[in-house]
Amino acid sequence: MSSVAVLTPESFAEHRSGLNEQQAKANVGSEDETDLVPTYKEAFPPLPEKATPGETTTEPSGAWTKIRPLKSSLITQVFHVPLEERKYKELTQFGEGDQAKICLDIMQKTGAHIELSLAKDQGLSIMVSGKLEAVMKARKEIVAKLQTQASATVAIPKEHHRFVIGKSGEKLQELELKTATKIQIPRPEDPSNQIKITGTKEGIEKARHEILLISAEQDKRAVERINIEKVYHPFIAGPFNKTSGEMMQETGTRINIPPPSVLKNEIVITGEKEQVAQAVSRIKRIYEDKKKKTTTIAVEVKKSQHKYVIGPKGNSLQEILERTGVSVEIPPSDSNSETVILRGEPDKLGQALTEVYAKVYIEFTDGEDKICLEGPTKEVKQVQEQIENVVQDLVNRMDYTELTVDPKFHRHLIGKNGTNINRIKDQYKVLVRIPPDNEKSNLIRIEGDPQGVQDAKKELLDLASRMENERSKDLIIEHRFHRTIIGQKGEKVKEIRDKFPEVVINFPDPSQKSDIVQLRGPKNEVEKCAKFLQKIVAELVENSYSVSVPIFKQFHKNIIGKGGANIKKIREETNTKIDLPAENSNSEMIVITGKKSNCEVARSRILAIQKELANITEVEVCIPAKLHNSLIGAKGRFVRSIMEECGGVHIHFPTEGSGSDTVTIRGSTEEVDKAKKQLLHLAEEKQIKNHTSELRAKPEYHKFLIGRGGANIRKVRDNTGARIIFPTADDKDQELITIVGTEEAVKEAQKELEILIKNLDNVIEDAMTVDPKHHRYFVIRRGQVLREIADEYGGVMVSFPRTGTQSDKVTLKGAKDCVEAAKKRMQEIIEDLEAQVTIECIIPQKFHRMVMGAKGLNVQQITKDHSVQIKFPEREENPAIEQQVHENGETDGEVKEVEPTLPRKNDIIIISGRKERCDAARDALLALVPVTIEVDVPFDLHRYIIGQKGTGIRKMMEEYEVNIAVPPPEEQSDTIKITGLASHLDRAREGLNERVKELQMEQEDRALRSFKLTISVDPRYHPKIIGRKGAVITQIRMDHDVNVQFPDKNDENQDQITITGYEKNTETAKEAIMKIVSELEEMVSEDITLNHKVHARIIGARGKAIRKIMEDFKVDIRFPPTGAEDLDRVTVTGLPENVDEAIDHLLNLEEEYMSDVVESEAMQAYMKPASRMDEPKTISKGFVVRDAPWTSGTEKAPDMSSSEDFPSFGAPVAPKASPWGPKRF
């Protein structure tokens, strides 16, 4: 009898044994059934032992061997970058800078994990973990970006380059990843054989070695081309290419024999040199042998029967060659010859000829129910019998049917790329023939299994009937909405198609600019889809209302705000789209798109910003709506000419059809008044009598007709009273000039203009004398001065003599009036040059950039305004001596003679031009020199002036266009310096002083608000003063504008409450708190006994019932917590009379609920089934095993309460000798 060990705890038996109590008893009590008890090794199979070195390992037979080891898909590679090869050698702050950024970027790009560590020799150790592909890519990126790169070239024969590249470049990519290098192979047309490798030294060596290996391998290979007569190719290839296949297998070469259709004699053999030589030798032997032994015979076979001799894919010819060794040569299909040549050994030709004629030719006639058989009588009969059997079998097994379907539905039955018809064929295992379009037949034939034929017929008819019920509908949707409805990458239209899966929605091609969207599908679904799309379009139309707001260009940056803050805020709050013109555009219009009401709000806000920033006046003029179109003119030309003439004012007419007569004019006061007068005058004229005329003039004449500053055209207007409108740069017709006014005025103006234009058409050539010393002025900067003269004076051509000649003759060619005006202008320029002086303006170099302005705009404007030339000195990077500047940055600005010992060369600005203009320009430059003033501001206010993250001081600097310097905190200085233009300083100083006053007032206010009042309140009342979720104390804080602070748990004075705020407010808050305290002091607490079984009912779901009781009786009710000594004790707190009423109510509820509880318990006892708990318990013997280690007497049974014998997961256990065997790590 074997020994038995018992583990006694019941929990072990419940979880492990799976035996019921009776089975446990039986197993322990009966010796006969001991064999049913599992052995220890069966219950707890041992882990496989690790074989000792030198010991032969056998397959362990334990249960653990069933588990297969999983191979990790992750790998780790470690490589080292020496210090001298590191690209980034910042030895401080390791883990930061460019090196760390590059590693993060590589990790994100490849998905690999990278760890860097710095060795003692300052070399870089890099560990890369991840999937193989990711690790290889990451390694390549790291080497390229963190390691210094070298390059080398390797020369291999040009014909070997393709083997380095590999198929589709796969070999090259693999090589680059493996060696972490970049390999550049010259293009096929490049004669160079040099391959360039870029990477680390180690990588270059590896790549070079691999490339040379590939080349060496190719050197061993050879290519041999031999010419063998085409007629002998079948013998070399053998039947079904068996001979050439065996040859390739034996020699390891590749033999390429051209197919019969290619008329080439050349056979190509490739492979190792020795093996190629063997193959060539064998081919030549076969050729020589067949050439000696074979003869030919020619027979006539009808052309129509050649295809039967050849057989499918030439199989018949191959079969004849295999059986007889005779090659059958068939003439090409495009030849008229019927001669078939048989080539082979003489004794085999007869057999081959019999094979050729023994074939039975079967032909299926087209359009007839006949199959033609041709051949020897005996064979024909056999074939006939076989075909008749097949036909009979098909008739018995198969069925066919024909159905009529309108040809217009055929393509829909077939489906896109045949999807529908192929599905039906596969599903029902039938053949379906749908006639092509050119047959114009409506008959569809289905063949196959009878049931499949019927099912396919039913489905096709269903599809056809559904198509007959289909409806197509064309929706007119404006082309501009198509892209919005389709959505990005078709996302939105996909949602619509998912909503209406049976409807096909076709949008027109974008290039067609069509508005028609086609819907096709079941009638009801098409109607629903059409309504849905119309609803979307209606929303788009509503949201696509657009309004243009003219805003002066200089204020666009203020509308946008810093970092786009202003425009973003307006867009978000009004839910509109706001588009501003490009910075280099001349347009001033800001376009707002969205719902009409939202657009109007956005428009008002944008106009408000402009009005706030500038002295903008807005005037409304009443002009009858019927005159608006005539005042606006074609494409706005008329109103645009008025706006330009009146200094760029904005004139806004109401939308057409609105019925409004109000025209809005916006701009500076003076210009608005001028535009108003002109508009009213024109409106009056148009009401009386209005006439329009047009004439043409070359565009180059327009500037001359207008004159400098509009002098010429103003003269014509004053003489005639007509308005003359020239085309803008946006107009298509650049020659058209429009004259508007009364009929008489228009005629007079037209007459004057025609005379001017006629004179301009009269081209003459004239000359004038210009001193050669002035020639350079006219031709420098690519002839800019001459171009300006040509633009201004009708395109007159001015020709100066060539450089090097001493001629002073200058030729002018153009219209007579233009030439005269140009000569006059050139004389003025020469006079200016003659009277030109050069003066110096001394401004310290450190101010030059400020004086120039952004992109030199300030200097350009001064140059233009005063007609002078200004030259700034070259900038000195590190001036050795600081320039002496007068206090406040002012300079005396006196004109001094050029003396090298006086002011520094880098401070001198040269101004050239007429004396009076140079002086004016110098004054203008000096006015741009920034001046510094000091303002006293108390030091403790500096941080408030700076603001959070400098926002306060930045706002002031932007607003007043100055620089404000606040001294550093360590200086404790009260002086703030303001630097800027003199004209801006006073305003900035006033603004700063106002800000100081505001801050001082805020300081005083803070001091008043900091009054503290402390009151003493019994800590037991604190929760009541705070209230549920702080409701009571929050209300006190809000009502009295104070802060109330309760003591912390660790404070000594637990009864003190601190109130902070204005003194008056703290007193009122104190009164409110004390009032609550006095009410609480009047309250009493009484304990009552309520059976704990009814507590849940009294409390109610989520405490709803008890809260209502507390509100109704104005008391606080506390129930005992779980685990309390007396579970029936309930405390009621409140005013005496309220407490009594609440207690009465609670006792009534207890009485009412207790009767329900008693009744419920009785019912449960009645309904409850007999429990197994009532049965006498039997002692569980636990989980039983045989032959356990501790039964031998040498070992001790495991203690289940011991953490050593049964450790919990994660808990450290001291090592101990155990009967469970040695511990393995």
Side-chain angles (χ1 to χ4, degrees):
M1 177 180 165
S2 59
S3 59
V4 176
V6 179
L7 299 179
T8 53
E10 292 178 11
S11 58
F12 194 89
E14 287 172 4
H15 290 287
R16 298 283 184 178
S17 67
L19 302 171
N20 58 32
E21 293 167 13
Q22 289 80 7
Q23 285 173 322
K25 279 182 186 179
N27 285 341
V28 176
S30 174
E31 289 183 12
D32 298 333
E33 295 177 3
T34 304
D35 293 337
L36 297 175
V37 178
T39 66
Y40 179 81
K41 282 191 176 182
E42 287 172 347
F44 302 99
L47 291 168
E49 292 288 347
K50 189 175 180 182
T52 57
E55 190 180 308
T56 57
T57 56
T58 57
E59 187 74 24
S61 59
W64 300 100
T65 57
K66 294 177 184 176
I67 302 170
R68 287 189 178 182
L70 292 174
K71 189 178 178 182
S72 174
S73 61
L74 303 179
I75 66 160
T76 300
Q77 278 195 7
V78 180
F79 55 99
H80 189 72
V81 180
L83 175 64
E84 60 273 12
E85 290 185 23
R86 281 178 60 191
K87 192 177 282 188
Y88 300 96
K89 297 180 182 177
E90 64 273 12
L91 302 179
T92 57
Q93 298 293 327
F94 181 72
E96 296 179 4
D98 294 334
Q99 194 167 261
K101 287 177 187 172
I102 287 167
C103 286
L104 283 170
D105 185 44
I106 294 169
M107 283 197 284
Q108 287 175 355
K109 198 187 290 182
T110 63
H113 179 71
I114 301 169
E115 289 184 19
L116 301 181
S117 60
L118 206 60
K120 287 182 180 178
D121 62 354
Q122 297 301 320
L124 201 63
S125 288
I126 303 167
M127 184 169 78
V128 189
S129 305
K131 292 189 177 179
L132 177 62
E133 189 182 355
V135 168
M136 298 304 283
K137 284 182 181 176
R139 185 182 173 185
K140 186 182 174 185
E141 291 274 335
I142 290 166
V143 166
K145 293 181 180 178
L146 295 186
Q147 202 164 353
T148 52
Q149 302 290 292
S151 64
T153 56
V154 58
I156 63 169
K158 186 79 177 174
E159 57 268 21
H160 295 174
H161 286 193
R162 63 192 182 94
F163 298 104
V164 177
I165 296 167
K167 189 178 180 182
S168 305
E170 287 175 4
K171 182 72 177 175
L172 182 63
Q173 287 175 11
E174 184 189 338
L175 201 55
E176 285 182 334
L177 278 174
K178 187 177 175 182
T179 60
T181 56
K182 175 71 179 170
I183 301 170
Q184 292 173 306
I185 296 174
R187 290 182 171 276
E189 60 269 17
D190 189 344
S192 172
N193 64 352
Q194 299 282 341
I195 294 175
K196 187 179 178 184
I197 311 166
T198 308
T200 62
K201 288 178 184 176
E202 184 188 354
I204 289 170
E205 286 303 317
K206 283 183 183 177
R208 191 170 180 277
H209 175 70
E210 291 287 340
I211 290 168
L212 290 173
L213 272 180
I214 293 168
S215 180
E217 194 177 318
Q218 295 306 316
D219 278 337
K220 295 177 186 175
R221 298 180 70 79
V223 178
E224 190 77 35
R225 291 177 171 82
I226 53 173
N227 280 315
I228 302 288
E229 288 177 64
K230 183 76 178 173
V231 293
Y232 295 105
H233 284 192
F235 300 111
I236 293 164
F240 300 103
N241 294 321
K242 282 181 183 176
T243 307
S244 59
E246 287 169 5
M247 219 182 298
M248 285 193 285
Q249 196 170 0
E250 288 170 15
T251 60
T253 57
R254 184 180 177 83
I255 301 170
N256 186 10
I257 301 170
S261 56
V262 178
L263 301 175
K264 280 177 72 177
N265 294 336
E266 189 179 71
I267 295 174
V268 181
I269 306 106
T270 56
E272 301 270 339
K273 287 181 180 177
E274 292 178 9
Q275 295 165 342
V276 166
Q278 288 177 22
V280 169
S281 173
R282 286 181 64 175
I283 290 169
K284 284 182 177 177
R285 278 204 305 272
I286 293 169
Y287 168 61
E288 295 295 337
D289 181 56
K290 292 296 177 185
K291 196 171 182 182
K292 286 178 185 176
K293 293 181 180 179
T294 57
T295 58
T296 61
I297 59 168
V299 293
E300 295 296 319
V301 178
K302 288 181 182 178
K303 191 76 178 174
S304 59
Q305 294 177 357
H306 284 192
K307 58 184 177 181
Y308 304 117
V309 175
I310 296 166
K313 297 181 181 179
N315 282 348
S316 296
L317 296 179
Q318 296 296 328
E319 286 169 4
I320 293 169
L321 180 62
E322 186 177 31
R323 285 196 289 268
T324 65
V326 174
S327 167
V328 181
E329 298 165 20
I330 307 289
S333 56
D334 54 355
S335 167
N336 293 325
S337 171
E338 293 184 340
T339 304
V340 174
I341 297 170
L342 282 75
R343 187 182 304 274
E345 293 177 16
D347 57 334
K348 299 288 178 72
L349 288 174
Q351 185 186 347
L353 186 61
T354 306
E355 289 270 352
V356 169
Y357 280 115
K359 295 285 182 187
V360 175
Y361 307 119
I362 305 169
E363 186 177 352
F364 292 86
T365 55
D366 213 10
E368 297 180 28
D369 295 341
K370 289 181 181 177
I371 299 172
C372 293
L373 307 177
E374 189 175 337
T377 307
K378 187 178 178 183
E379 282 81 358
V380 164
K381 284 183 178 179
Q382 288 176 357
V383 171
Q384 184 180 358
E385 285 177 12
Q386 288 176 10
I387 289 175
E388 284 174 351
N389 291 336
V390 170
V391 169
Q392 189 60 43
D393 179 58
L394 287 172
V395 169
N396 294 335
R397 276 193 309 108
M398 309 290 277
D399 193 7
Y400 79 92
T401 186
E402 292 177 343
L403 56 145
T404 305
V405 176
D406 194 320
K408 68 181 178 181
F409 298 134
H410 286 186
R411 63 189 184 92
H412 300 299
L413 292 177
I414 294 167
K416 192 175 182 181
N417 298 325
T419 49
N420 288 352
I421 203 69
N422 287 337
R423 179 183 57 77
I424 291 168
K425 286 178 181 178
D426 294 341
Q427 186 174 343
Y428 302 115
K429 303 290 186 290
V430 293
L431 291 171
V432 183
R433 184 185 182 277
I434 297 176
D437 294 340
N438 56 6
E439 284 188 19
K440 295 183 180 178
S441 169
N442 59 0
L443 207 64
I444 295 174
R445 183 181 176 94
I446 309 168
E447 297 176 4
D449 177 71
Q451 186 59 44
V453 167
Q454 293 305 315
D455 292 343
K457 177 183 177 182
K458 186 183 176 185
E459 184 159 346
L460 285 171
L461 288 173
D462 286 347
L463 281 170
S465 64
R466 201 182 307 161
M467 284 168 199
E468 285 174 0
N469 294 328
E470 273 192 353
R471 183 188 165 189
S472 289
K473 184 170 184 176
D474 291 341
L475 280 182
I476 307 296
I477 298 175
E478 285 183 64
H479 188 267
R480 63 191 174 115
F481 295 136
H482 289 189
R483 284 185 67 184
T484 311
I485 295 169
I486 292 167
Q488 193 174 12
K489 295 181 180 177
E491 288 174 0
K492 291 188 178 176
V493 80
K494 187 176 181 296
E495 288 175 12
I496 299 169
R497 284 174 175 148
D498 291 344
K499 192 178 179 74
F500 303 99
E502 295 182 62
V503 179
V504 178
I505 305 170
N506 288 323
F507 283 86
D509 192 90
S511 58
Q512 293 177 0
K513 302 287 183 187
S514 171
D515 293 340
I516 298 171
V517 176
Q518 192 180 62
L519 308 180
R520 193 183 73 251
K523 187 176 178 181
N524 293 338
E525 289 298 306
V526 166
E527 288 299 327
K528 286 178 186 175
C529 186
K531 284 180 183 177
F532 184 76
L533 283 171
Q534 284 164 351
K535 186 180 176 183
I536 291 172
V537 171
E539 287 175 4
L540 288 172
V541 169
E542 186 184 359
N543 291 325
S544 63
Y545 176 81
S546 183
V547 62
S548 297
V549 188
I551 298 291
F552 293 105
K553 195 79 177 177
Q554 63 264 35
F555 300 129
H556 283 200
K557 61 179 181 180
N558 303 95
I559 303 292
I560 295 166
K562 191 167 185 183
N566 291 354
I567 198 76
K568 187 179 178 185
K569 189 177 179 185
I570 296 169
R571 281 172 179 154
E572 287 175 355
E573 291 181 2
T574 60
N575 195 24
T576 54
K577 181 186 174 189
I578 303 173
D579 294 316
L580 285 92
E583 196 176 342
N584 54 1
S585 165
N586 294 325
S587 172
E588 294 185 333
M589 288 293 180
I590 294 176
V591 181
I592 307 168
T593 311
K595 287 187 178 179
K596 187 175 181 181
S597 56
N598 294 347
C599 289
E600 291 300 330
V601 173
R603 179 175 176 272
S604 305
R605 289 181 63 169
I606 289 170
L607 289 173
I609 293 171
Q610 179 181 249
K611 198 169 184 180
E612 189 181 327
L613 290 166
N615 181 24
I616 302 295
T617 306
E618 190 174 295
V619 173
E620 292 184 348
V621 184
C622 190
I623 296 173
K626 63 183 179 180
L627 300 176
H628 289 184
N629 282 342
S630 57
L631 288 174
I632 293 167
K635 296 182 181 177
R637 289 173 63 196
F638 201 11
V639 76
R640 200 160 51 238
S641 70
I642 298 171
M643 289 194 288
E644 287 170 5
E645 192 178 326
C646 299
V649 296
H650 292 148
I651 301 173
H652 178 69
F653 284 83
T655 51
E656 194 174 354
S658 64
S660 174
D661 295 339
T662 306
V663 178
T664 308
I665 309 169
R666 195 181 297 110
S668 63
T669 309
E670 187 182 338
E671 302 296 348
V672 165
D673 290 340
K674 188 177 174 183
K676 180 182 175 182
K677 285 176 185 175
Q678 284 205 30
L679 269 177
L680 291 171
H681 177 68
L682 285 166
E684 190 179 340
E685 273 187 4
K686 286 187 180 292
Q687 278 182 314
I688 299 165
K689 193 175 183 184
N690 185 49
H691 189 70
T692 303
S693 181
E694 294 176 349
L695 72 153
R696 294 183 169 278
K698 292 178 183 176
E700 56 265 29
Y701 294 165
H702 291 187
K703 280 194 176 180
F704 182 75
L705 292 172
I706 293 166
R708 292 188 79 182
N712 294 351
I713 209 70
R714 200 179 299 115
K715 186 179 176 184
V716 174
R717 189 184 297 154
D718 293 342
N719 292 341
T720 62
R723 173 171 289 278
I724 298 148
I725 302 166
F726 286 85
T728 63
D730 298 329
D731 290 335
K732 287 184 180 178
D733 195 341
Q734 289 291 307
E735 293 187 355
L736 191 68
I737 299 171
T738 308
I739 309 167
V740 181
T742 60
E743 191 172 354
E744 289 178 10
V746 167
K747 283 182 180 178
E748 278 185 51
Q750 187 171 357
K751 191 176 179 183
E752 284 194 33
L753 285 171
E754 282 173 348
I755 292 165
L756 285 171
I757 293 164
K758 191 175 180 183
N759 290 340
L760 291 172
D761 286 334
N762 181 20
V763 177
I764 64 162
E765 189 171 315
D766 200 355
M768 64 181 291
T769 303
V770 178
D771 194 317
K773 67 180 180 181
H774 299 313
H775 287 193
R776 187 172 179 277
Y777 175 81
F778 287 96
V779 297
I780 58 170
R781 297 191 299 278
R782 297 183 182 179
Q784 186 179 340
V785 176
L786 294 179
R787 282 202 304 275
E788 288 172 0
I789 292 170
D791 289 344
E792 197 168 337
Y793 300 103
V796 66
M797 291 174 61
V798 183
S799 300
F800 278 79
R802 289 178 179 276
T803 308
T805 61
Q806 293 300 313
S807 172
D808 59 359
K809 186 181 177 184
V810 176
T811 308
L812 294 89
K813 187 177 181 181
K816 187 177 179 182
D817 293 346
C818 293
V819 168
E820 291 300 325
K823 278 176 71 178
K824 188 178 177 183
R825 175 65 186 136
M826 287 178 71
Q827 287 292 354
E828 289 174 5
I829 293 169
I830 291 164
E831 285 174 16
D832 286 346
L833 292 171
E834 293 286 353
Q836 183 170 294
V837 297
T838 300
I839 67 168
E840 295 175 358
C841 178
I842 300 167
I843 295 174
Q845 191 188 55
K846 64 180 180 180
F847 297 129
H848 286 188
R849 191 170 287 175
M850 296 183 199
V851 171
M852 287 180 187
K855 297 180 182 178
L857 287 174
N858 294 347
V859 174
Q860 288 170 19
Q861 192 62 43
I862 293 170
T863 304
K864 188 177 177 183
D865 292 345
H866 302 285
S867 300
V868 294
Q869 290 182 349
I870 301 171
K871 185 180 179 184
F872 279 77
E874 289 184 7
R875 187 167 183 81
E876 189 178 358
E877 294 299 329
N878 296 306
I881 305 165
E882 287 294 327
Q883 183 178 356
Q884 299 296 318
V885 183
H886 293 295
E887 191 175 357
N888 293 338
E890 295 175 358
T891 61
D892 54 17
E894 290 180 1
V895 181
K896 299 179 182 179
E897 294 179 10
V898 179
E899 291 182 23
T901 56
L902 288 170
R904 289 172 63 243
K905 186 180 176 182
N906 298 84
D907 297 340
I908 299 170
I909 299 169
I910 307 296
I911 307 172
S912 304
R914 282 183 177 268
K915 177 74 170 63
E916 62 276 12
R917 291 177 182 170
C918 287
D919 291 340
R922 184 186 60 194
D923 293 340
L925 284 172
L926 290 171
L928 293 172
V929 177
V931 180
T932 302
I933 61 170
E934 294 180 349
V935 182
D936 285 336
V937 176
F939 173 72
D940 59 333
L941 297 180
H942 287 191
R943 62 195 181 98
Y944 300 111
I945 286 167
I946 293 169
Q948 191 177 14
K949 294 183 181 178
T951 51
I953 202 161
R954 273 201 303 274
K955 187 180 178 185
M956 289 178 73
M957 288 195 289
E958 285 173 11
E959 188 177 347
Y960 302 118
E961 297 179 35
V962 293
N963 182 51
I964 301 172
V966 179
E970 55 269 16
E971 289 184 13
Q972 298 280 314
S973 172
D974 291 343
T975 305
I976 289 179
K977 292 181 180 179
I978 306 174
T979 305
L981 301 181
S983 56
H984 297 163
L985 290 177
D986 290 338
R987 204 159 61 92
R989 183 176 13 216
E990 287 173 13
L992 185 58
N993 287 330
E994 283 177 15
R995 179 65 181 145
V996 168
K997 285 177 185 175
E998 286 176 15
L999 290 170
Q1000 286 173 340
M1001 287 173 68
E1002 285 177 12
Q1003 269 189 333
E1004 290 171 10
D1005 186 61
R1006 271 198 299 275
L1008 291 171
R1009 286 179 65 90
S1010 300
F1011 179 79
K1012 287 188 177 180
L1013 179 65
T1014 304
I1015 58 174
S1016 181
V1017 176
D1018 193 324
R1020 64 197 173 105
Y1021 298 138
H1022 289 188
K1024 290 292 181 183
I1025 295 168
I1026 294 168
R1028 191 165 180 267
K1029 294 184 181 178
V1032 176
I1033 200 64
T1034 303
Q1035 192 62 44
I1036 291 171
R1037 284 172 179 152
M1038 288 171 63
D1039 290 348
H1040 303 284
D1041 190 21
V1042 293
N1043 181 36
V1044 183
Q1045 190 71 36
F1046 286 84
D1048 291 333
K1049 288 181 180 179
N1050 301 326
D1051 286 354
E1052 292 180 7
N1053 302 319
Q1054 287 292 310
D1055 61 341
Q1056 289 193 351
I1057 297 173
T1058 306
I1059 309 168
T1060 308
Y1062 292 115
E1063 187 176 359
K1064 184 182 176 182
N1065 293 355
T1066 57
E1067 290 292 343
T1068 55
K1070 176 187 174 183
E1071 289 173 9
I1073 290 170
M1074 295 313 292
K1075 185 182 177 183
I1076 294 169
V1077 171
S1078 63
E1079 287 176 0
L1080 290 170
E1081 285 175 345
E1082 291 176 11
M1083 291 184 181
V1084 295
S1085 288
E1086 284 192 31
D1087 291 340
I1088 60 168
T1089 301
L1090 283 180
N1091 194 308
H1092 65 274
K1093 293 180 181 179
V1094 299
H1095 287 189
R1097 293 199 180 194
I1098 292 172
I1099 293 167
R1102 297 183 181 179
K1104 190 175 179 182
I1106 198 66
R1107 276 200 301 276
K1108 189 173 186 310
I1109 294 168
M1110 290 193 287
E1111 285 170 11
D1112 290 347
F1113 295 98
K1114 295 179 183 176
V1115 293
D1116 182 58
I1117 302 170
R1118 297 288 172 190
F1119 287 86
T1122 308
E1125 289 182 7
D1126 188 357
L1127 291 174
D1128 295 339
R1129 188 173 67 183
V1130 176
T1131 305
V1132 184
T1133 307
L1135 295 173
E1137 60 275 15
N1138 294 344
V1139 168
D1140 291 340
E1141 289 178 8
I1143 289 171
D1144 289 342
H1145 182 71
L1146 287 172
L1147 292 171
N1148 290 336
L1149 286 175
E1150 180 195 24
E1151 188 179 340
E1152 182 183 333
Y1153 292 151
M1154 274 307 293
S1155 61
D1156 292 342
V1157 169
V1158 171
E1159 187 179 335
S1160 175
E1161 285 179 352
M1163 185 62 70
Q1164 282 181 2
Y1166 177 75
M1167 296 293 290
K1168 191 174 181 184
S1171 171
R1172 287 180 60 190
M1173 298 296 289
D1174 300 332
E1175 295 175 7
K1177 286 189 179 179
T1178 55
I1179 298 168
S1180 173
K1181 295 294 182 181
F1183 180 60
V1184 182
V1185 293
R1186 292 182 290 128
D1187 302 331
W1190 55 86
T1191 57
S1192 60
T1194 57
E1195 292 187 16
K1196 184 183 172 185
D1199 181 5
M1200 289 178 60
S1201 62
S1202 169
S1203 61
E1204 290 179 356
D1205 291 342
F1206 291 91
S1208 59
F1209 284 112
V1213 180
K1216 182 183 174 183
S1218 170
W1220 301 86
K1223 294 185 179 179
R1224 299 176 181 88
F1225 297 96

